[in-house]
Amino acid sequence: MGIVGLFVCAFIFPNLYNGVWFVVLVLSTFLGLDILILYLARTGIDATRETPEKLSNGDLNPVTISIKNHYTFPISIKIIDEIPFQFQVRDFKILRTIKASAQDKIGYDLRPTERGEYYFGNLNIYVSSPLKLISRRFTFDKDQMVPTYPSYIQLRKYDLLAFSNNLFQYGIKKIRRIGHTMEFEQIKEYVQGDDLRTLNWKATAKKNALMVNQFQDEKSQSVYLAIDKGRVMQMPFNGLSLLDYAINSTLVLANVILKKQDKAGIFAFSKKVENRVFAEKRGSQMQKILETLYNIKTDFFESDYSRLYVDIKKNINQRSLIILYTNFETMDGLNRQMPYLKGIAKSHLLVVVFFSNTELNEIINKKTDTIQEVYDKVIAEKFMFEKRLIANELKKYGIHSVLTQPENLTLDAINKYLEIKARGIL
């Protein structure tokens, strides 16, 4: 643009004409030199994109780009990584300077919000010399596929929750153990604080010291995690659907159940019951559950609770703990399904996990200035109150419930399971 401007000036002042051509010659010389030093090296840079073996749904996943500069001068680079279309990022760009013959690592995070296969396109790197007249494009790692699984990062985070002496580290409430409906473990010497009702008088007489019976939680109890994948689970929260929150929670809770020496199983239902893993305690159970949760697909049809009731009655013969992830927005919605829930609760211990609509809190807590905002606030409070009515209605028929916010789902579900184990009501 500067040269164009000089040629315009040279039209007015003819004496500038030869000087402008000299500037053009100098620019062309530096341009040719820039092309020469950039393209003379066959492998100017090497780069690789390092991704996790699988992405964790709903979590930040690190992606690292490693770059090796083979040029003998510092370079300026512009990285344009063609990340999967699911993220809908159209302005990805990273600028960086790398010293001569040096190596650098550049990282960024991706947060997927749906399970499935994510395809990366080309890793495009544009390299400029210190002259910065042209850029040379290098392309690496074309068509790299990374699957996105349910949140295994949460699985590691809550791994220690299976052990009751570590619960306080995660803010889990301590459970008071009621009665002694637990399996006998061993006889040990009495220490201050032990329950005097557990004294073993025969062992005390033999040892000539106070001895008490020690109990442990009952093991090998069957726990099924049922996921409603109907339209009520389509509601989004922070990018993830309620269905994906339930899937992530199921993965973590299944791990805790197996660590507590119980048998964990899962199934999902909508128009029919599918994605079934029978409750077992074998070593490969977690991998089987992970693969099954990864493959859960749905069109968010209306869920058929009658089919759920019949399937449970037919396939689950032993009394089990069934934790049902679903959502009820109104009492009418609950009343339509209540006969089937009561039928399941007759033979099994049923826990219904459903969600509070956290977006209503913004409306409720917002200061009202107009009549319309007052109406909106009253309706929002009615919906929130109806959620509590649903929990009370379930309790009336002996059905346990967990009313939780999506971000607290995993923690609250683990709490409920540990509470049931501690009370020995299964």
Side-chain angles (χ1 to χ4, degrees):
M1 293 299 296
I3 291 174
V4 170
L6 288 175
F7 270 115
V8 172
C9 293
F11 182 77
I12 303 172
F13 305 101
N15 293 333
L16 293 177
Y17 184 73
N18 292 331
V20 174
W21 275 112
F22 177 76
V23 173
V24 172
L25 180 62
V26 171
L27 178 63
S28 301
T29 302
F30 278 104
L31 181 62
L33 180 62
D34 202 5
I35 294 173
L36 186 65
I37 61 176
L38 278 178
Y39 283 89
L40 192 61
R42 180 173 296 179
T43 55
I45 62 169
D46 282 325
T48 56
R49 181 200 300 115
E50 301 169 10
T51 64
E53 183 180 348
K54 51 182 178 286
L55 300 178
S56 178
N57 193 23
D59 301 310
L60 291 177
N61 297 265
V63 178
T64 304
I65 299 174
S66 299
I67 302 175
K68 171 66 176 176
N69 179 17
H70 295 293
Y71 289 109
T72 56
F73 51 83
I75 58 174
S76 299
I77 61 171
K78 179 171 68 173
I79 302 172
I80 299 179
D81 196 1
E82 297 175 2
I83 63 178
F85 72 89
Q86 288 94 334
F87 296 102
Q88 291 296 299
V89 177
R90 306 174 188 275
D91 56 351
F92 185 93
K93 182 172 65 175
I94 298 176
L95 303 177
R96 190 65 61 92
T97 299
I98 302 179
K99 296 180 180 178
S101 303
Q103 194 168 358
D104 196 6
K105 287 192 174 183
I106 301 160
Y108 62 92
D109 294 322
L110 294 176
R111 181 180 179 268
T113 55
E114 58 184 76
R115 290 162 290 112
E117 296 179 344
Y118 284 60
Y119 286 90
F120 287 82
N122 294 334
L123 172 59
N124 302 296
I125 301 179
Y126 294 85
V127 177
S128 300
S129 71
L131 296 176
K132 295 185 178 180
L133 293 177
I134 65 164
S135 294
R136 179 182 177 183
R137 186 180 71 173
F138 294 86
T139 303
F140 305 94
D141 294 343
K142 183 179 181 180
D143 296 334
Q144 181 182 3
M145 192 280 288
V146 182
T148 296
Y149 276 73
S151 180
Y152 60 87
I153 291 180
Q154 284 190 33
L155 180 65
R156 297 168 185 167
K157 177 181 177 182
Y158 295 114
D159 197 30
L160 294 179
L161 289 180
F163 307 100
S164 59
N165 59 336
N166 287 331
L167 297 181
F168 66 91
Q169 298 178 7
Y170 296 88
I172 305 297
K173 60 186 178 185
K174 293 187 176 180
I175 306 297
R176 178 172 175 262
R177 298 183 182 274
I178 302 174
H180 298 289
T181 57
M182 294 172 283
E183 294 179 352
F184 174 79
E185 184 177 13
Q186 64 177 352
I187 300 173
K188 71 179 186 72
E189 289 190 12
Y190 172 83
V191 295
Q192 188 173 1
D194 283 340
D195 191 345
L196 293 175
R197 293 174 297 175
T198 62
L199 282 171
N200 188 317
W201 294 109
K202 289 185 178 180
T204 298
K206 291 180 181 178
K207 194 82 172 178
N208 198 26
L210 290 176
M211 305 294 289
V212 295
N213 295 329
Q214 186 175 4
F215 298 88
Q216 63 182 358
D217 291 344
E218 295 179 12
K219 297 179 180 178
S220 297
Q221 295 176 310
S222 296
V223 182
Y224 281 92
L225 306 173
I227 302 173
D228 181 354
K229 57 180 186 178
R231 62 179 180 84
V232 295
M233 300 293 281
Q234 191 176 10
M235 183 183 297
F237 177 82
N238 198 19
L240 261 70
S241 66
L242 296 183
L243 174 63
D244 280 309
Y245 277 104
I247 289 172
N248 290 344
S249 174
T250 297
L251 180 66
V252 177
L253 184 53
N255 183 54
V256 173
I257 291 167
L258 293 171
K259 289 291 180 67
K260 295 289 284 184
Q261 303 300 314
D262 281 333
K263 295 183 286 187
I266 68 166
F267 56 87
F269 73 98
S270 179
K271 296 181 72 174
K272 60 181 179 179
V273 179
E274 50 195 356
N275 305 110
R276 189 194 313 274
V277 176
F278 285 101
E280 293 178 335
K281 200 173 58 175
R282 61 179 62 183
S284 61
Q285 188 75 349
M286 271 309 298
Q287 184 61 33
K288 187 185 296 185
I289 290 174
L290 177 62
E291 293 296 334
T292 303
L293 292 174
Y294 170 73
N295 289 307
I296 287 181
K297 296 178 176 62
T298 181
D299 292 324
F300 294 107
F301 292 115
E302 182 76 23
S303 296
D304 188 348
Y305 277 76
S306 62
R307 184 69 62 88
L308 172 68
Y309 168 70
V310 171
D311 188 270
I312 290 177
K313 193 172 183 64
K314 177 182 177 182
N315 294 300
I316 306 179
N317 301 319
Q318 179 185 0
R319 176 174 166 83
S320 306
L321 170 61
I322 299 178
I323 300 177
L324 171 61
Y325 292 93
T326 185
N327 196 32
F328 295 110
E329 289 293 337
T330 63
M331 284 294 297
D332 291 337
L334 173 67
N335 291 332
R336 285 198 300 270
Q337 314 302 344
M338 183 59 81
Y340 309 113
L341 297 178
K342 289 193 292 185
I344 296 171
K346 284 182 180 179
S347 304
H348 306 278
L349 181 60
L350 177 61
V351 178
V352 176
V353 182
F354 62 109
F355 301 88
S356 61
N357 192 336
T358 54
E359 293 184 359
L360 294 179
N361 291 332
E362 299 179 8
I363 301 175
I364 294 173
N365 298 325
K366 182 182 177 182
K367 184 179 178 181
T368 56
D369 297 321
T370 65
I371 295 296
Q372 182 61 48
E373 290 177 348
V374 173
Y375 291 156
D376 293 342
K377 185 172 183 177
V378 170
I379 293 173
E381 290 176 344
K382 177 183 178 295
F383 277 115
M384 294 294 284
F385 179 69
E386 199 157 5
K387 288 283 188 177
R388 295 191 291 272
L389 287 180
I390 291 171
N392 290 333
E393 186 71 11
L394 291 168
K395 184 178 179 181
K396 186 194 306 183
Y397 294 101
I399 301 173
H400 296 257
S401 64
V402 177
L403 176 58
T404 181
Q405 298 179 0
E407 67 268 27
N408 299 328
L409 172 62
T410 300
L411 212 55
D412 289 341
I414 293 173
N415 257 334
K416 192 64 179 180
Y417 165 71
L418 295 177
E419 178 188 346
I420 290 171
K421 290 291 292 182
R423 293 173 59 188
I425 58 178
L426 177 55

